[in-house]
Amino acid sequence: MDRVRLIFDSSSSRGRHGQRMLLLGGGGGGGSSPVFGGARSALAAAEGANKRRPFFTSPEELLEEEYYYDEQQPDKKRRLSPEQVRLLERSFEAENKLEPERKSELARKLGLQPRQVAVWFQNRRARWKTKQLEHDFDRLKSSYGSLLSDHDSLLKENDRLRSQVISLTEKLQSRTAASAGAAGIAGTKSDVQAAASVADPATLAVQTKAEDRLSAGSGGSAVVDGEAAKQLVDSSEVSYFPEGYHCMGPVDGGRVHSEEDDVSDEGCNYYSDGMFAAEHHHQDEVDAQLDWWVWS
DNA sequence: TTGTGTTTTACGACCTCC
DNA sequence: GGAGGTCGTAAAACACAA
């Protein structure tokens, strides 16, 4: 009690920066610690019950701290000086975790309590993490943007191919109708298909692709199936992104390459599980449409 | 000057690791 | 169990527009 008053009496005002902290408040979260005991009650009496409690844990500790905080205004939270912050920043850049020796050394150099140094590092790591999250968010956003434009161009390509199929089908139908009329016999569906494969290389190409797809279940296809791609991605050893995100290469011809195609993250598009499912679903839809056009 | 939003400092609660 | 981490939050300090 006497010690606390003694320190208060020795305090004096200083400039905004370069001030040292005498008293720090009691936990923002509310709960007041029962640890402080006599010194705290003295402070409460002197400063009012709603003030933050000092962080010193005992009057003995207060005695020690007097050397550090001998010229400080009482009961005020002080910012660290630019010089102190500079040194802390440099130290943080070198290593963002704080071993006890380094903490004591820094505290000694800066004229701070080791506890203050530790808290500063904790807060600094939190700020760094926030920045990282923002950075990750920006990356995901731009990734999503490029996926969206890929998706749009695929839709256009799909439309173009669809009209092509329609026009070829019409041509084929008129041609077979003409030849049937000439022969006086109506052709069957298999006749039409047979005629198409001979008459039209474009239709033949579409049919061939469809057959390839039917036989792809054996794993003979060079194109990685959606689920297989997901497995490949999931089995990759190290990912910058947290669990639940999948790196997938640029979309190529309506197919999505797996991460294995390119070991680096360059050009990767990151999907969350949900996005992956949606994209996979979209792939299925495209496949279904293609099948419908081929076989109907 | 004052009201308001942001940043910084500090804490308690809880978690993990040794 | 203790040390040190993260997370969420309070409150002081600060910045800035009106």
Side-chain angles (χ1 to χ4, degrees), chain A residues 75-91:
Chain A
D75 202 20
K76 291 290 177 190
K77 187 188 282 188
R78 297 294 171 209
R79 296 206 166 188
L80 305 177
S81 71
E83 191 52 43
Q84 287 172 320
V85 171
R86 211 167 13 246
L87 198 82
L88 286 165
E89 286 286 356
R90 271 217 302 273
S91 184

Side-chain angles (χ1 to χ4, degrees), chain A residues 87-253:
Chain A
L87 198 82
L88 286 165
E89 286 286 356
R90 271 217 302 273
S91 184
F92 183 85
E93 277 169 26
E95 171 66 58
N96 74 345
K97 292 285 173 70
L98 200 57
E99 311 80 48
E101 301 78 35
R102 199 155 68 100
K103 180 167 69 179
S104 306
E105 177 69 10
L106 271 171
R108 195 186 56 75
K109 273 186 188 164
L110 296 167
L112 296 171
Q113 275 193 288
R115 168 71 182 161
Q116 280 180 287
V117 175
V119 165
W120 188 91
F121 266 73
Q122 284 164 14
N123 288 321
R124 187 65 184 78
R125 281 193 295 269
R127 287 195 289 272
W128 180 83
K129 188 177 178 181
T130 304
K131 280 270 183 292
Q132 282 300 114
L133 285 172
E134 284 170 5
H135 183 239
D136 287 352
F137 175 75
D138 287 344
R139 276 183 62 173
L140 280 171
K141 207 163 72 174
S142 67
S143 213
Y144 174 72
S146 69
L147 275 175
L148 208 59
S149 77
D150 283 346
H151 180 248
D152 286 347
S153 60
L154 279 173
L155 283 180
K156 287 196 182 86
E157 174 71 0
N158 190 32
D159 282 346
R160 194 185 63 76
L161 289 171
R162 189 180 296 185
S163 344
Q164 198 178 351
V165 169
I166 288 171
S167 101
L168 288 170
T169 307
E170 281 169 353
K171 270 189 199 168
L172 182 62
Q173 278 172 348
S174 61
R175 190 180 295 185
T176 50
S179 62
I185 304 166
T188 62
K189 184 178 177 181
S190 57
D191 290 338
V192 170
Q193 282 183 343
S197 14
V198 174
D200 197 325
T203 308
L204 180 62
V206 171
Q207 265 191 325
T208 306
K209 182 168 185 181
E211 283 159 8
D212 282 351
R213 279 189 45 71
L214 284 178
S215 61
S218 63
S221 170
V223 180
V224 180
D225 180 71
E227 189 56 34
K230 186 171 186 296
Q231 283 173 1
L232 283 171
V233 171
D234 288 344
S235 67
S236 65
E237 284 184 16
V238 179
S239 173
Y240 175 80
F241 278 77
E243 198 177 342
Y245 282 87
H246 311 277
C247 172
M248 296 170 66
V251 176
D252 174 20

Side-chain angles (χ1 to χ4, degrees), chain A residues 38-59:
Chain A
R40 188 191 175 197
S41 56
L43 285 164
E47 303 296 324
N50 61 342
K51 298 285 185 180
R52 306 185 111 203
R53 73 163 178 78
F55 63 88
F56 307 113
T57 55
S58 70

